[in-house]
Amino acid sequence: MSNKTAAAPVGVQMVEVTVDQDGQRIDNFLRTALKGVPKSLIYRVVRKGELRVNKKRVKPDYRVQAGDQVRIPPIRVAAPREQVPVGQGLTDALEAAVLYEDKDLIIVNKPSGLAVHGGSGVSLGLIEALRQMRPEQRFMELVHRLDRDTSGCIMVAKKRSMLRYLHEALRQKGRISKIYHALVVGRWPTRKHQVDAPLSKNELKSGERIVRVHPMGKPSLTQFRVLRRFGSVATLVEAQPITGRTHQIRVHAQFAGHPIIGDDKYGVDEQNREMKALGFRRLFLHAAELRLTLPNGERLRVEAPLESQLNDGLAKLDASGQDRTELQVGSND
């Protein structure tokens, strides 16, 4: 059976923006309306002025308003792929990984190795799995993203209004705190509290995406705090990204001279091989905690426990005689 999907032509569409869609960027609105259409094609339609909102051209950052009349030009939409069913093992794992859930929001302790969404060779991601697990839920969208190899807290909105609320909160400094734990190579200096270095995203000839510190990059700031030492071999640190750039914590740790253990993109292969012997077989970056205020004013703090593989690795590193030192806040290095 062929996996290819035929492109189905679609004529001009007139779509009215609903109250639930109010405030959404026009490109994101189109991605929902045109399932199966590549993002590059959607952006091209907007840039070329082929799209009309209330009979006028709009810029890519335009935010739709309830009642807007959106004219979508003829476009070829890929026929939907056959849905990949969620296996019982993944269903059970994700149900057990739910850290918080109410009628508007679900927070999951995403396992390492699971992409947040399908595409680019990934047939099934977290969001597709959750939609199958909650078939009665009409709306379910990622609020933010985590790299495939990063584990921990990730928010999924169950209502458009919650998605808009959380996106606005993420844009405003201090309203949502995302706290990560990372095991880095070497002895991170206690007095090094932050890395402030601009980041630039590039694509290699192979198509691989890579991020580098570059003076012409976007301003990027990560705050760090030492949690636990393993002699001069490794340091468990807390990392809090103040900005939200791609691979930010990983690149800032590398830039500081202490790459994250298990990072096959920004780390050191020899050091990663040595740590594999202790059981660190994946990127040791974990979204450990989320702090936010819900729309009703309730303060929410959600913590995601480390998976057993990482805890076992820390125990072996401790037992290997690396002169572990517990640090107190304010101690000198």
Side-chain angles (χ1 to χ4, degrees), residues 64-214:
V64 297
Q65 300 175 40
D68 277 352
Q69 298 293 323
V70 181
R71 179 190 183 276
I72 303 174
I75 198 165
R76 295 186 74 83
V77 182
R81 293 178 179 271
E82 187 176 339
Q83 190 178 62
V84 177
V86 182
Q88 191 60 47
L90 180 58
T91 297
D92 293 344
L94 290 180
E95 287 290 3
V98 172
L99 302 169
Y100 173 86
E101 186 171 9
D102 61 23
K103 63 183 177 60
D104 301 328
L105 176 67
I106 182 169
I107 301 177
V108 177
N109 184 4
K110 184 189 82 69
S112 175
L114 178 65
V116 292
H117 60 76
S120 301
V122 178
S123 58
L124 184 72
L126 173 70
I127 189 65
E128 291 85 9
L130 289 175
R131 286 169 181 160
Q132 288 189 48
M133 291 164 56
R134 303 283 193 275
E136 75 288 350
Q137 196 68 46
R138 293 179 59 190
F139 180 90
M140 191 170 279
E141 294 287 347
L142 293 163
V143 175
H144 58 115
R145 297 167 189 260
L146 289 177
D147 292 342
R148 182 173 183 172
D149 294 331
T150 302
S151 57
C153 295
I154 188 163
M155 296 182 286
V156 176
K158 296 163 70 176
K159 286 188 178 177
R160 175 77 63 188
S161 56
M162 177 59 83
L163 183 66
R164 289 200 307 269
Y165 172 83
L166 292 174
H167 278 172
E168 181 62 28
L170 286 168
R171 284 192 288 269
Q172 296 179 12
K173 182 179 178 182
R175 285 187 58 189
I176 296 181
S177 295
K178 294 190 285 186
I179 297 168
Y180 294 75
H181 290 175
L183 187 67
V184 301
V185 172
R187 186 178 180 86
W188 186 284
T190 305
R191 293 178 178 175
K192 189 167 190 60
H193 299 299
Q194 66 178 36
V195 175
D196 186 354
L199 298 178
S200 176
K201 189 160 48 176
N202 301 282
E203 191 169 301
L204 304 179
K205 290 182 180 179
S206 63
E208 181 184 6
R209 184 178 57 180
I210 194 162
V211 178
R212 294 190 176 95
V213 171
H214 192 280

